[in-house]
Structures are given as C-alpha cells and as structure tokens.
Amino acid sequence: MAETSKPSTYEAVIGIECHVELKTESKMFCGCPNAFGGEPNTKVCPVCLALPGALPVPNKAAIEHMIAAGLAFGAEVPAFSKFDRKNYFYPDMPKDYQISQYDMPLTQGGVVRYWLEDGTMKECRLTRIHLEEDTGKSTHAGSGDGRIAGSTYSLVDFNRAGVPLMECVSEPDIRSADEAVGYLEALRRTLQQLGVSDVKMEEGSLRCDANVSIRPVGSTEFGTKTEIKNMNSFRSVHRAIESEIERQIALVEKGERVVQETRGWDEVRGTTHSMRSKEQAHDYRYFPDPDLVPMEIARELVEKVRAALPELPLSRFERYTTRFGLDVKQATQLVDNLPLAQFFDAVVAASENPKQATNFVLGDLSRLANEHGKPVHESAVIPAHLAELIALVEAKTINSKIAKELIERMWRGDGSPKAIVEREGLAQTSDPAAIEKFIDDVLAANEKSVTDYRAGKTNVMGFLVGQVMKASKGKADPALVNGLMKQKLEG
Amino acid sequence: MSSEKIDVRYVAKLARLALTDDEVARFGAQLGDLLEHVNALAKLDVSQVDATAQVVESRNVERDDIVRPSLDRETVLNEAPQRQGGFFRVPRIIAE
Amino acid sequence: MEIIERSAAQIAREVNARTLSACDVTDAVLAHVEAVEGDVGSYVSVLHDQARAAAARVDERVKNGETLPLAGVPLAVKDNMCLVGTRTTAGSKILENWHAPYTATAVQRLLDAGCVPIGKANMDEFAMGSSCENSALGVTKNPYDLSRVPGGSSGGSAAAVAAFEAAIGMGSDTGGSIREPAAFCNLVGFKPTYGRISRYGLIAFASSLDQIGPLTRTVEDAALAYDAMAGKDPMDATSIDRAIEPTATTLRTDLTGVKIGIVKQFDTRELGDDIDHLYDKAYHDLQALGAELVDIELPTADYGLATYYLIAPAECSSNLARFDGVRYGMRVEGADVHEMYEKTRAAGFGPEVKRRILIGTYALSSGYYDAYYVRAQKARTLIARDFEAAFAQCDLIACPAASSPAFQFNAKSDPYSMYLMDYYTIPMSLAGLPALSVPCGWVTPAGGSSPMPMGLQLTAPLFKERELLSAAHAYENMTKHASAYRPSLERTPGGR
Ligand SMILES: [Mg+2]
Ligand SMILES: [Zn+2]
C-alpha cells in the first residue's frame, strides 16, 4: 500500500461471507449425485428440478458435517434448529425459493484462529454457519465474454442445484487483506481436513464475498461498507481487498463519501466496480419451510461427532512450531498437506528427531515427490525406513552424500536403508589410517595441485578433497578428510 | 394489526405477476375486503401462545446419504419451454 | 347391479374371485365415461390405454395367485397428482401441457393395490376453490343437478364417483376440498390426519395443510382406499412414521360407548329450518345407534377462516413460485427474464390463484410478517388446543360438512362468500385432524327442482382414523341416505 497517502491513519474493517459446498454422496434434499461437472442437466430429479409435487428430505450426512464444522471452530450447536424458505426469483434456482436457515441456524458463534506469515496469531469470530442448498449454474451468452452484462440470453444447468451448501458468516474482525487470506486459509484447511468439503475455489466449492469499510485508527464506529463479489482465488481476494481499501481511503481523503453498494472485482483491471447502487431492500419473505420438520440435535450426536474430529490444523501447527521447533513456513507447508503431515508425524514418532525428519521430508522427499509427480505418502518410502536413515546419519554411520543416494534408492523401492548399507558396505570410513592412505595416494597423483596450494592457491583444496571422496567411493568421513588433508598440505 | 391498504403493485412485483390497471384496482379492493375479515384475529390474545408451523409434531426426518437414480435428460428437457442442447434456455438475465 | 355401480369392495371381491375381470370392469366404465362425460365433465384426461393396460396387469396378477385389496377398482385421480406419462395440469393453464415424469406415492400405492386409473379428474386451479369453477380446463357439473356445482376443489373426482365413472376418487383436502364436494355429491369424503398419506407427487397448494384422501360411495370403500394409501413415505418428510391399523376390517354397526360432541358454536339454526332439522335428525340417529351426545365448545373455531386465509395463501405464494416458465409448463416470452416471469405467471394463473398469491406474498412481506403470518400461526395453535380440550370430553365431533347443498354455477361471485363454504371444514384442517363427510339426507334448495344431498362431518382426534371410519360406517349402515336418490343423468342405469 505504498501509494496510499496516509495509510497509518486508517484501518480496514472486513467481514467475510463464505459459501462452501459440502462433500456428500448425494445432494441436500434428493438422491442425485453431488459431484462436480458432468454433462449438463444429467444429475437432476423431480426434487432438485422443483417439478410440481416433489418434496425435499434432508441429507443426514450434511447435517453431521455442519455439526463437525461448528465444533471445529468452537461454535455452539443449539438443541433445536429448522429450515426456512428464502423467497426470490432467479432462473437457476428451481423452486424460486432457497431452502436455507434464518433464525435458528445449525451453529452459532465460534472463532476461527489463524496465523500470518510472520507467525502472528489472529482470530476472527464467526456469527454463524448455516445450512442451505446451492443453485444451478447459468452460462451467459451473446455478450461474447460470457458475462451477464450485455448478454442476450442464458443457458441453465441444474446439476449443481440442491448441492448442500454451508454459509459461513464472520464478524467484522479482519483488519487487512493479509488477515483476510489468513482467515480463508484457516477455514479452507480446517473444512478440508474435517472431510466436510473439497473447498476448491476453482471448482466453486468455496465462494466468498467480503464486506469492506475503513475508519480512522482508534475509532470504534463502523464506516459505510461495500460488498465485494466475483473474487475467484485467494490472490484475487487479497488484491480486491487492497484495491478497495485504497479506493475508500482515496475517496475519504478527497472529502467524498463511500456509498453502500455491491462492487465487482475485475481481475484484469485490478479494480472493483459498482454492480448495483444502493441495495434495493430485498424482501425475502423468510418463513419456516412447511415441507420439512424441525431438527432436535441430540447431545449424544454432538458428542459422537466431537469424538470423531481429527486433530485440527491449528493444533497441529502449534505442535510443530512449539514442540518440534519448525518455523512458520515449514509448519504451514506440513499443515496444508495432511497426508505429508501424517507421514512426517510417523517419521518423528519412529525417529524421535523432528529436526532431521523436517529436513528429509520437506527437503529430499518433497523434491523427489515434485520431480516424480507423486505424493510422498504414495511413494515406496515408508516412515520406518526414513527413521532408519535418520538413525544412520545421526550415528555418523553414513555421511550426507550417502544419505542422499540412499533416499533416491528408497524412492526407487530398494527398501530398508540399513539393509542396503550393511549389504553394500556403505558405512562411512572414519579410520584415520585408511583415510590417510587415500590422501597420500591423491597427493602423490596431483603434485601440481599440491604445489599450487603451497603457493597460496588454497582453493585447490576442494578439488583434492573431492578426489579423496571419490577414491573412498564416497564413504570417507568428509570432516576427517578435510582435517587430515590440511595437516598434510600445511604440515 | 395493520389496517393499511395493500400496495398491490409492490406485492405483485415481489410475486412476479404482471397486473393490468383493472386488476390492480379489483384485486386491491378484494384483498382489502379479505383483510377486514382477517383483522378479526387482532381480537385474539396470542401473547402467551407459540406459533404452530407444523400441526403434527415430528422431528429429525432425514435421509441417509445415498445416491438414487436421476431423471433421463431428454424426458426433462422435452418439457422445457425453450432448450438449447443440454441446457434450459432463458431470456436475458438482468442483474437486479 | 350394473358393474359400474358396484362398490370398490364388491369389484375387488369379484375380480379376486375371478368371477369378473378387471378388463371387463374397465371396459364397462370407459364406455360409461364416453356416455356421460358430455354432461358431467369429470375428467380433464381419460386414460383409455393406461386403464386397459393396468386392468390387464391386474388380471394377470390375480391369475398368478395374488389377492389385491382393490383388484380392478376404477380410479379417478385428481389432476394435481402426478401419474407418470399423463398430463397433469392441477386445473391450470400454466401446466396445461405438462406431462409428469414420475408418479405420486399415494397414486402408486392405489395402483399397486389393484386400482385401474380411468382418468385425471378436473379440479379448481391448484386446488383453490370450493366449486370446481376455478378450473382453467373445463366445467364439471353436479351429477345430481347439472345446473349446480359439484363442489371443490376435488369436484372432478367427486362428480366422477357420483356419476359411476369411478368407484374411488382421489381428492386432496387443504381446507375442505374433499369433504365439501363429497357432501355436494352424495359421497363419503375422508381427509385423514395430516401426514398419514404421503404428499409426494401431489402438486402443493399449502404444504402444512394439504392431505390426500378418498371420495367413495361407501364408508367401506373409503376405508379400503385409506388402508392402501396410508403410511410413511421416505420421500415426504412430513409423512408420519406410525403403525397403520387397518380400518376396513374393523368397521362397526353401532356406536355403543361412543361419546359424540356437538359444537355449541356451530348453531345449525342459522342454516334455515330444513337444514337445521336435517342435522337434528342426524344427531338423534347417532344417539339411536348408542352414542352419547355431549355439548362441547370450540371457542376459537370462528377464527378458522381468518387463520386459514393467511396461512394457506402464504404457503401457496411460495409453493407456486416455481411456475416461472423456465423448466416446464407455459412460457410467455419477454425482453428479459423478469418480464418473462411476470407475463408467464399473469397469463398462466387464473384470478383466484393470483388473489391468493398476492395475499400470501403480502402476509409474508417485510413489516407484515408478524402481524399476519405469525399471528395466524398462533391462532392455529389456539384452534388446535380447542379441539384437544373438546376431545377430553368426547370421542368424536359431529357437525355439518357444508352450510348449504350444492349451489348453482356463478352463485358466489364475491370471493369471500366462496371462502365461507369452508367454514365448517377449515378448523379441522388447521388442527390436522382426521375428518370425513358422510351423506346425511337431502334438501331441495329454494328454486331447485331436485333434492340435493347434505353431508354430516365427523371429526376424530389425531390418528383415530379407525374410530372415525367405524362410526361413519355405523351411521351409514343405519340411515342409508345415499341410496335415496340417484344421479339425474339420462345415461345412468336406472336414472331418470
Ligand atoms: Mg446463502
Ligand atoms: Zn435431484
């Protein structure tokens, strides 16, 4: 925000509303498959197409997903909940009302705790998470760019209509674009690791809007907010919020006022633009859906779901940073990759050496995984073998060069590194007499280098050490080689 | 209880019903009459009463998360007032 | 007795015994439909091919040793119920050419029990009306006087059964739409407890009130149809998961030990001397059967209409939003999608439907929701409580089903006077109670030439269908009012 004139005198106040598609086999109120993509209008039935006479019946798994999400954020799961109808007309909404939740959502309150890149911990309160159904999808035609503005007609696909959707509304506790992204990342990794959603922004299973306002630092009142839409990646959320904050500050600095409106993010221009001015007050005519009966959420069910919760990303992050001493970046990398983190945990458990485990898992193994396009946990390397390797390195049985070779071989499926070392005699040579012999041979064969060294060209040392390592087939203890070589050359 | 006159045009807009001027006048009068009758409810003391949304009490009627067959697309699209390929076609959507 | 006049019970007995084939029954009924439809107009669609195919299947199943409770019974399906492959209009222009791709649970259960679908019966548009005059698809006349309405909204089903075009008519009742046409057409019309019969495939009017039920010429037939339709349906979250006690096998012929409440607020003297005497006689007959009459009060029953005309329109305004010209049904093109919606709905819905959508939208709209919709829901609670209190003193409640016999076409031009037709049936609907109308005598309306039937409404506590049908059976068995006159149709066997 370098170009902002007085950045320090304003702070942003941001609240985020997310719609997250839940991962279930079937849709929210019917048995059609809940799956991304596919030929248009092939995953539809009387219920999700709102044919005359069809009735909704709620999906038990979606309700349990909601409870799990609520508990993960410490929300209250009330004893009683119900579905309401939100009435408005839209061509991709088959019933022309959405089954949603109005005054008795499945979860209330809660807090999302998240960290920033520098490790600062932040928190954002949740207002509520409620359960509803997704709409179909319209493709706008005739405008050339697929956008609604200027289109002459639209094509509707109802495959997505009726997919269970959680709407997660935050309190306006977010103060910057960085925090917004930190919050969204926490939401994403938590919901994903709970198994309640794929949370893929690119597939639309996570969609979010941001309410942005600014106020002078120190003020407790809220400024006029705008609602930003059309952000389709975390990067665009970041850019959109920064751009909107700047726009609002510039307005206020000029003595103008922010207008309450919905603004669309333009990815290409990098700015927000007005979509509709002055919200015409929507009259959604919410009322309890008479096709559905209320939910009484048994405490036993809540406890059952609670007991089945996995270790949450936040606790994993804290474990890695405080107990294992990982830095924020390393810990984040692991926390965001659950199978890798689970592999890592197994290596730590077997080796009791988090530092080496981090080096190997995030270093060599991750590099190999990248090169081969195969995740670590699906490779031939098993945690027990990596723990063996760590033990061999720690005991100085092998040097790091051999270790690197071994890990490549383990990836190729050669199995236990200990067995390889024993079978092939790869243990490090630490016997000074043997090493001295190698050195003597090398010095004898490279007289010119020896002369050069003694004439002050000390950089030939590396070459000579390399020759020794080569002669020892890499098994010589490099530290010992260095020491002895120096003695010989200078002695 | 309110005895205001109904803004028939606003209500018709919410309900997506095009009304002629005649209809606005006629429905307006008829709805006004009905409201007169309905306003009798104001005489009931309901301050201590819970609302009934469903008269027969049942709870937690849910389905297991199991996929069932969807409809055949041709059957579905054959009923469409206008289709294009595998899609339903609708006139221009204007952002509200 | 001619085949078409036989009761469902008789037909099923004979088809199961293979002394009569379902195909013969169907042919006889279809021939009769051809003969009388011009006069009566019960059906929106006659299902010649489906009926014959279904009959052949029934005969086949019986031949293979199955016993079907409703083997070969000709069925009229109200046109707000889906039957796969058939045009299903709900009496509306907006669905004039819509073909259902699936079958309503209740219809399927009757077909599984052996019924043969003869046709889709006319009705008030989206079941909104009490005379069948609100249909966009044709006029249905009362078989007992063709200048009079059959009642509504299940008027087509009622007329079909009264005119021997079916033995069982499927109706749906939201505020009286089975009971009132039953009373007008000399039939038994039975609305079970809300949730007893699945609504899946029933085109919704008001979801918290709609209930499917049978219209038949005998109580036993109503019981048989109910037994076949009732029971939990996983496709309807509001259908009740409770054991169904078969009713048809336990019908009584006396009322010994039964306490019947007579409602103080429903003073029949207001209905004129003829009608007052008729109900007095009916109550005395109940006593003669062994029942003990007790006076009961339903202090809030008078608020039923007001309550109903907020709740039902509110729900319908939302239920009918889906008729938008996008996925099925009628469309009138417009420059943009909102114009298309407005024009489609303006052209597709009739005036009564529009009135109710408007009042319901208003009652739910911002600023009015608490004053109208929520207050009505609270009034509903009070009405249900009144019944609860009353049923602490009695087992059943007796009262009129309608305040008059069938009226002439265009007699009720003012909407509210039509709404008043449901005065006696609405409170039970609001309380979700099982209630039925059973023929209780005849009156000749002023200016009318033929005597017209009247109905006695019996109401039971929630889930007491068995007791209710039993009492109606005892009453029917003793009084035999239904057989006093016959429909005034030229072509009806034995008719004038
Ligand atoms: Mg939402
Ligand atoms: Zn579906």
Side-chain angles (χ1 to χ4, degrees):
Chain A
M1 296 209 304
E3 56 271 77
T4 307
S5 47
K6 298 179 187 168
S8 60
T9 56
Y10 295 97
E11 72 171 358
V13 176
I14 301 163
I16 291 183
E17 267 179 49
C18 287
H19 283 93
V20 181
E21 284 182 350
L22 295 179
K23 188 158 79 179
T24 51
E25 295 298 317
S26 62
K27 291 186 180 179
M28 184 60 223
F29 296 109
C30 67
C32 289
N34 171 10
F36 178 70
E39 282 292 299
N41 295 306
T42 51
K43 295 167 195 155
V44 294
C45 74
V47 178
C48 59
L49 262 186
L51 296 191
L55 296 171
V57 183
N59 185 335
K60 194 180 279 175
I63 293 167
E64 294 191 5
H65 282 358
M66 291 292 294
I67 297 172
L71 293 178
F73 298 121
E76 183 205 343
V77 178
F80 196 82
S81 182
K82 68 179 170 72
F83 290 107
D84 300 281
R85 292 186 183 179
K86 180 181 184 180
N87 293 284
Y88 65 100
F89 284 80
Y90 207 81
D92 60 21
M93 192 168 63
K95 295 184 292 294
D96 290 298
Y97 60 81
Q98 181 189 33
I99 303 178
S100 182
Q101 299 196 283
Y102 183 54
D103 54 348
M104 294 178 138
L106 268 161
T107 90
Q108 271 173 323
V111 179
V112 175
R113 294 199 169 79
Y114 61 96
W115 59 91
L116 300 178
E117 270 178 33
D118 65 1
T120 320
M121 293 305 299
K122 293 276 176 186
E123 53 182 62
C124 175
R125 288 166 302 154
L126 294 176
T127 313
R128 58 190 272 161
I129 312 176
H130 71 247
L131 181 55
E132 56 187 31
E133 52 178 344
D134 211 344
T135 60
K137 246 176 165 164
S138 307
T139 310
H140 307 296
S143 59
D145 59 0
R147 284 203 286 181
I148 192 166
S151 67
T152 51
Y153 65 93
S154 297
L155 300 175
V156 192
D157 168 15
F158 291 102
N159 282 348
R160 201 183 67 182
V163 162
L165 198 62
M166 72 163 60
E167 182 176 324
C168 182
V169 183
S170 91
E171 292 288 308
D173 289 349
I174 294 166
R175 294 289 171 269
S176 68
D178 285 347
E179 288 186 20
V181 171
Y183 166 82
L184 285 171
E185 277 172 344
L187 205 63
R188 173 168 71 182
R189 64 170 74 92
T190 306
L191 296 175
Q192 196 193 38
Q193 292 181 23
L194 286 173
V196 305
S197 175
D198 290 332
V199 218
K200 289 185 182 157
M201 236 172 158
E202 62 277 21
E203 287 183 3
S205 58
L206 167 66
R207 308 191 284 274
C208 66
D209 304 333
N211 288 304
V212 179
S213 64
I214 55 160
R215 65 183 176 194
V217 170
S219 165
T220 49
E221 281 165 36
F222 292 119
T224 305
K225 68 181 177 188
T226 58
E227 189 183 4
I228 316 300
K229 287 188 182 294
N230 299 344
M231 301 171 292
N232 41 33
S233 66
F234 284 3
R235 199 176 107 83
S236 62
V237 169
H238 195 273
R239 291 177 66 207
I241 290 176
E242 291 234 300
S243 143
E244 179 59 15
I245 293 171
E246 280 173 31
R247 189 189 70 88
Q248 291 189 10
I249 291 175
L251 271 181
V252 173
E253 297 271 292
K254 272 191 285 181
E256 291 174 28
R257 298 173 57 171
V258 175
V259 181
Q260 182 167 351
E261 61 182 353
T262 300
R263 298 183 67 84
W265 167 243
D266 187 323
E267 190 71 47
V268 179
R269 292 206 184 117
T271 53
T272 63
H273 55 89
S274 179
M275 284 173 82
R276 30 185 128 120
S277 64
K278 193 64 198 164
E279 294 291 288
Q280 62 169 43
H282 285 285
D283 196 338
Y284 289 126
R285 289 156 286 137
Y286 280 100
F287 74 105
D289 192 331
D291 287 332
L292 294 164
V293 304
M295 291 170 274
E296 249 170 39
I297 302 133
R299 294 304 95 180
E300 302 85 80
L301 174 64
V302 174
E303 289 319 309
K304 196 190 97 188
V305 173
R306 194 195 302 278
L309 290 180
E311 181 183 18
L312 295 170
L314 179 69
S315 117
R316 192 179 286 278
F317 177 82
E318 285 174 336
R319 186 158 61 82
Y320 290 170
T321 49
T322 59
R323 277 184 45 208
F324 294 174
L326 274 64
D327 66 31
V328 174
K329 199 173 161 209
Q330 290 170 327
T332 307
Q333 203 182 333
L334 284 173
V335 166
D336 276 343
N337 186 341
L338 186 58
L340 189 66
Q342 283 164 343
F343 184 94
F344 170 77
D345 283 345
V347 176
V348 174
S351 68
E352 293 178 6
N353 190 332
K355 192 160 167 50
Q356 289 286 21
T358 308
N359 291 341
F360 280 112
V361 171
L362 291 181
D364 301 85
L365 273 185
S366 292
R367 178 182 49 81
L368 284 164
N370 261 334
E371 283 169 18
H372 292 88
K374 181 184 219 166
V376 170
H377 67 282
E378 283 174 20
S379 76
V381 183
I382 61 168
H385 289 168
L386 190 57
E388 275 180 20
L389 187 72
I390 290 171
L392 290 169
V393 171
E394 286 292 290
K396 295 203 158 58
T397 309
I398 57 170
N399 61 38
S400 61
K401 185 161 180 303
I402 298 290
K404 276 194 196 309
E405 266 173 49
L406 281 174
I407 211 161
E408 298 261 2
R409 292 182 60 179
M410 287 155 68
W411 185 274
R412 289 200 300 269
D414 287 0
S416 158
K418 204 166 160 218
I420 301 173
V421 168
E422 280 166 13
R423 199 166 59 233
E424 303 181 11
L426 298 178
Q428 179 162 264
T429 307
S430 307
D431 171 10
I435 290 175
E436 228 171 318
K437 171 86 178 56
F438 284 124
I439 293 174
D440 290 344
D441 291 351
V442 166
L443 294 185
N446 293 283
E447 278 177 22
K448 181 165 184 325
S449 298
V450 175
T451 317
D452 285 352
Y453 184 90
R454 290 184 176 143
K457 289 178 87 177
T458 50
N459 58 354
V460 298
M461 173 89 165
F463 165 75
L464 292 169
V465 168
Q467 292 301 105
V468 172
M469 292 306 291
K470 201 168 161 190
S472 73
K473 300 207 175 66
K475 294 188 290 184
D477 179 339
L480 215 50
V481 174
N482 263 304
L484 286 172
M485 176 83 79
K486 217 165 176 189
Q487 272 178 30
K488 297 239 171 209
L489 288 169
E490 290 169 7
Chain B
M1 187 163 272
S2 165
S3 59
E4 288 168 59
K5 272 197 71 177
I6 301 183
D7 181 350
V8 179
R9 283 184 204 281
Y10 169 73
V11 176
K13 184 94 201 148
L14 278 180
R16 298 290 184 265
L17 276 175
L19 297 185
T20 62
D21 291 347
D22 268 7
E23 284 177 316
V24 170
R26 193 167 66 249
F27 287 142
Q30 288 169 340
L31 299 186
D33 279 357
L34 181 62
L35 281 191
E36 295 268 295
H37 292 287
V38 157
N39 280 337
L41 288 184
K43 283 184 278 180
L44 278 179
D45 177 10
V46 293
S47 54
Q48 306 299 313
V49 183
D50 288 335
T52 293
Q54 287 288 0
V55 76
V56 176
E57 290 214 353
S58 60
R59 296 279 183 270
N60 303 339
V61 182
E62 291 150 12
R63 37 177 280 278
D64 290 331
D65 184 21
I66 292 167
V67 171
R68 289 165 46 94
S70 295
L71 284 170
D72 166 63
R73 182 163 76 179
E74 278 311 294
T75 310
V76 165
L77 286 169
N78 275 341
E79 295 292 335
Q82 201 185 2
R83 62 180 286 190
Q84 184 169 317
F87 294 92
F88 292 87
R89 183 172 163 156
V90 295
R92 184 161 68 101
I93 300 174
I94 35 168
E96 289 159 74
Chain C
M1 193 190 277
E2 295 266 353
I3 290 177
I4 56 165
E5 292 181 70
R6 291 176 202 171
S7 71
Q10 278 173 307
I11 290 170
R13 222 174 289 133
E14 291 179 60
V15 172
N16 279 321
R18 298 181 64 195
T19 54
L20 180 66
S21 78
C23 287
D24 287 346
V25 176
T26 303
D27 287 342
V29 172
L30 286 172
H32 177 64
V33 167
E34 282 301 307
V36 300
E37 262 303 272
D39 282 345
V40 186
S42 307
Y43 290 119
V44 172
S45 316
V46 178
L47 309 172
H48 297 94
D49 297 345
Q50 267 140 312
R52 291 202 173 92
R57 270 198 308 278
V58 168
D59 285 332
E60 186 64 28
R61 287 174 68 186
V62 170
K63 205 177 124 194
N64 290 336
E66 277 188 75
T67 301
L68 304 173
L70 295 168
V73 172
L75 177 71
V77 179
K78 187 175 179 179
D79 211 22
N80 58 354
M81 298 176 202
C82 294
L83 172 55
V84 67
T86 66
R87 190 167 71 119
T88 300
T89 68
S92 182
K93 236 157 76 176
I94 211 159
L95 283 178
E96 193 168 359
N97 294 304
W98 182 63
H99 286 76
Y102 74 109
T103 299
T105 302
V107 176
Q108 190 60 52
R109 288 186 179 177
L110 287 180
L111 299 184
D112 290 347
C115 280
V116 172
I118 300 299
K120 302 296 293 289
N122 197 21
M123 56 183 286
D124 285 301
E125 186 177 2
F126 287 105
M128 298 174 197
S130 308
S131 68
C132 225
E133 290 168 291
N134 293 336
S135 171
L137 284 108
V139 178
T140 302
K141 297 172 185 164
N142 191 313
Y144 287 88
D145 180 346
L146 297 176
S147 71
R148 292 176 186 273
V149 302
S153 65
S154 311
S157 298
V161 175
F164 307 114
E165 296 178 274
I168 295 174
M170 292 181 80
S172 65
D173 189 315
T174 306
S177 280
I178 290 175
R179 290 161 285 165
E180 187 241 29
F184 282 13
C185 291
N186 192 30
L187 300 174
V188 177
F190 173 36
K191 180 202 91 75
T193 305
Y194 176 82
R196 272 294 203 196
I197 296 176
S198 167
R199 294 183 294 118
Y200 187 70
L202 167 70
I203 300 178
F205 161 18
S207 310
S208 76
L209 293 154
D210 294 345
Q211 180 56 209
I212 289 175
L215 291 124
T216 54
R217 293 187 295 266
T218 69
V219 173
E220 185 188 14
D221 284 2
L224 284 168
Y226 166 77
D227 288 348
M229 286 189 282
K232 175 70 188 164
D233 175 12
M235 300 301 284
D236 176 0
T238 61
S239 81
I240 292 161
D241 195 2
R242 225 176 214 263
I244 298 292
E245 305 169 320
T247 58
T249 48
T250 59
L251 298 172
R252 292 171 55 164
T253 50
D254 72 297
L255 291 174
T256 313
V258 180
K259 279 190 194 169
I260 295 183
I262 307 298
V263 186
K264 195 175 144 241
Q265 281 76 13
F266 294 161
D267 188 345
T268 52
R269 280 175 301 187
E270 292 165 13
L271 306 180
D273 285 351
D274 288 0
I275 295 177
D276 183 37
H277 293 152
L278 187 138
Y279 285 106
D280 270 352
K281 172 82 167 61
Y283 302 153
H284 278 118
D285 286 344
L286 293 171
Q287 217 168 8
L289 280 159
E292 181 193 338
L293 301 187
V294 293
D295 287 329
I296 56 151
E297 302 220 32
L298 293 174
T300 55
D302 219 24
Y303 294 97
L305 266 179
T307 304
Y308 178 87
Y309 277 97
L310 288 170
I311 290 175
E315 292 182 11
C316 103
S317 71
S318 175
N319 284 333
L320 269 58
R322 68 186 61 190
F323 302 101
D324 60 4
V326 173
R327 283 146 290 119
Y328 47 77
M330 180 181 180
R331 173 191 288 189
V332 179
E333 292 297 344
D336 59 57
V337 78
H338 290 288
E339 197 181 307
M340 185 275 278
Y341 288 153
E342 292 193 338
K343 286 184 167 174
T344 296
R345 292 162 62 78
F349 292 139
E352 184 57 35
V353 173
K354 288 179 187 172
R355 260 191 295 276
R356 298 205 196 184
I357 288 176
L358 291 171
I359 195 77
T361 304
Y362 177 72
L364 289 175
S365 67
S366 164
Y368 301 98
Y369 180 78
D370 289 326
Y372 287 114
Y373 182 72
V374 174
R375 179 167 278 265
Q377 281 194 321
K378 291 181 173 178
R380 187 174 185 178
T381 307
L382 292 178
I383 292 166
R385 275 191 206 161
D386 273 4
F387 277 106
E388 245 172 75
F391 282 125
Q393 295 167 260
C394 63
D395 304 306
L396 297 171
I397 294 170
C399 68
S403 50
S404 76
F407 45 88
Q408 293 190 302
F409 287 97
N410 303 316
K412 315 263 175 195
S413 52
D414 153 46
Y416 195 74
S417 68
M418 186 71 89
Y419 298 167
L420 277 171
M421 289 313 301
D422 296 331
Y423 177 81
Y424 291 109
T425 48
I426 275 175
M428 295 75 182
S429 294
L430 288 168
L433 299 168
L436 57 74
S437 175
V438 57
C440 68
W442 302 76
V443 293
T444 304
S449 51
S450 22
M452 295 303 290
M454 294 289 290
L456 173 70
Q457 183 177 207
L458 296 174
T459 304
L462 293 172
F463 312 118
K464 298 286 185 190
E465 281 85 0
R466 187 184 264 207
E467 291 74 2
L468 178 63
L469 287 161
S470 236
H473 183 261
Y475 177 77
E476 171 195 59
N477 183 57
M478 184 183 87
T479 58
K480 299 189 166 53
H481 288 298
S483 53
Y485 297 91
R486 301 184 56 77
S488 56
L489 296 169
E490 291 285 332
R491 310 294 297 268
T492 303
R496 287 172 292 157

